[in-house]
Amino acid sequence: MDMQTSLLDRLFDAGHLIDTGIDGLYGRGGGFEAVITGFERLIDAHAPADAKPEVIRFPPGMNRAHFEGSGYMKSFPQLAGTVHSFCGCELDHMNLLQCMAEGEDWTQGQQATDVVLTPAACYPLYPVIARRGPLPEGGGLFDLQSYCFRHEPSKDPARMQLFRMREFVRMGTPEDVMAFRADWMERGQKLIEAVGLDPELDTANDPFFGRAGKMMGNSQREQKLKFELLIPVTSQANKTACLSFNYHQDHFGHTWGLSTADGETAHTACVGFGLERIALALFARHGLDTDAWPASIREALWG
Ligand code: ATP
Ligand code: ZN
């Protein structure tokens, strides 16, 4: 049995994750949730005291038109999830039930709704903020958290299909958003060290689709547009990206017509915390019994 399967089985046995029969789709036990709640509180405590972000919680589905406009399907078609529904008449319904009864594919008649599953917590934000008009003087700062969907079924507990991302998003001048990202790269490392984990900062790239995607990934790396904090979860050698720090340049500003108070196209950056991955890193490091975790770690999370 490899390390990933063994950690997953131990998490099931401890009741931290609950098996649904689908890889990457799990229930969470109370102990697991308490770790996430404690860690989110710690994120708040490590955020700059004077920053005062606007707090927004979107549901895990987003406006399909906004999703289409974001260009997600150009880069990551393999990860996207859409919401389909039955939109037929009574005869269609009878056919559907018959299909199901005969074990045939009943999903063929399902039609796309106006909702798609949120792929990253910040995606629903940009078009909504752009609609307000130019950013105020000093730009914008937002605090988000959402379940996100990515179609990447796996036995690796750190690779889920539905997981939560906490994000801070900065919008404004290139200088302001770069300063925000640099600040969070430091804060993120201190935050991770405060719970007894060893972070390693590295440049990274997103999993762009196809052959052209390889070039996009290389260019993203060369331009240092994405950094990740890597932490051991299932392996000391192959660490897992638990936080990411992304500079989108003027991509979202340009896409959504988002501008600064001076009328320039806004630049954006985000810092994303993979909440389940951080909880898993904590369980892997300190053991599955949170009562037995070192007092300093318990104090940091729940003190
Ligand atoms: P974007 O750059 O498009 O705004 P993002 O930076 O917000 O995206 P990612 O960097 O792709 O999103 O992911 C953010 C964090 O979410 C990652 O650092 C990781 O911790 C977590 N994450 C990503 N994929 C998974 C997954 N399949 N299961 C669990 N956690 C994940
Ligand atoms: Zn983001």
Side-chain angles (χ1 to χ4, degrees):
M1 198 186 298
D2 62 29
M3 293 294 287
Q4 297 173 350
T5 315
S6 108
L7 178 63
L8 185 59
D9 283 341
R10 290 192 299 124
L11 290 159
F12 287 156
D13 289 344
H16 287 316
L17 294 180
I18 291 98
D19 192 0
T20 67
I22 301 289
D23 290 340
L25 184 74
Y26 310 119
R28 279 86 169 139
F32 191 93
E33 286 303 286
V35 171
I36 290 196
T37 307
F39 190 79
E40 282 210 85
R41 253 199 35 216
L42 200 60
I43 296 176
D44 295 334
H46 279 249
D50 56 348
K52 303 274 179 293
E54 179 178 340
V55 177
I56 305 181
R57 297 290 178 262
F58 289 105
M62 65 179 284
N63 181 331
R64 174 152 67 99
H66 291 171
F67 172 84
E68 288 164 1
S70 75
Y72 195 83
M73 288 306 279
K74 276 192 210 141
S75 300
F76 314 107
Q78 78 281 19
L79 298 177
T82 51
V83 178
H84 285 62
S85 268
F86 171 75
C87 304
C89 63
E90 284 191 49
L91 181 62
D92 298 324
H93 183 217
M94 277 166 57
N95 288 335
L96 175 137
L97 291 182
Q98 196 174 350
C99 250
M100 284 182 115
E102 288 167 6
E104 285 171 14
D105 181 8
W106 60 274
T107 62
Q108 294 293 327
Q110 297 285 101
Q111 283 181 26
T113 67
D114 289 332
V115 179
V116 301
L117 296 173
T118 302
C122 63
Y123 270 68
L125 182 71
Y126 308 103
V128 165
I129 300 307
R131 210 166 49 193
R132 290 181 181 171
L135 293 165
E137 207 64 55
L141 176 65
F142 303 89
D143 169 341
L144 310 174
Q145 199 253 49
S146 174
Y147 261 101
C148 299
F149 175 86
R150 292 184 185 176
H151 186 235
E152 42 184 3
S154 166
K155 293 271 184 221
D156 178 356
R159 189 167 298 287
M160 298 185 175
Q161 299 202 60
L162 273 158
F163 57 93
R164 275 161 291 181
M165 226 186 258
R166 176 79 181 270
E167 281 201 44
F168 294 108
V169 180
R170 184 81 168 96
M171 305 176 179
T173 63
E175 296 73 32
D176 285 346
V177 308
M178 287 296 274
F180 158 86
R181 187 175 75 150
D183 181 44
W184 266 109
M185 286 203 269
E186 277 193 27
R187 285 175 195 277
Q189 293 185 75
K190 290 203 183 102
L191 181 49
I192 291 302
E193 283 161 2
V195 287
L197 300 173
D198 302 319
E200 179 193 322
L201 188 69
D202 202 0
T203 50
N205 61 269
D206 287 308
F208 295 102
F209 184 74
R211 223 174 314 152
K214 254 209 146 43
M215 275 154 58
M216 288 165 79
N218 289 341
S219 143
Q220 188 184 29
R221 240 171 220 281
E222 271 159 28
Q223 295 183 75
K224 295 192 178 348
L225 298 180
K226 187 179 191 82
F227 284 89
E228 287 176 337
L229 267 197
L230 306 170
I231 307 174
V233 178
T234 51
S235 152
Q236 286 289 334
N238 286 319
K239 297 180 187 176
T240 303
C242 294
L243 277 74
S244 65
F245 310 90
N246 306 292
Y247 176 35
H248 314 117
Q249 298 170 299
D250 64 355
H251 170 72
F252 289 118
H254 184 71
T255 301
W256 297 112
L258 186 65
S259 59
T260 64
D262 296 344
E264 300 287 330
T265 299
H267 283 230
T268 63
C270 66
V271 47
F273 298 81
L275 295 177
E276 278 77 7
R277 285 189 177 177
I278 292 164
L280 292 171
L282 285 165
F283 284 117
R285 175 76 181 79
H286 302 304
L288 297 185
D289 177 6
T290 51
D291 289 340
W293 284 7
S296 61
I297 309 297
R298 294 181 50 80
E299 174 73 19
L301 290 171
W302 302 297

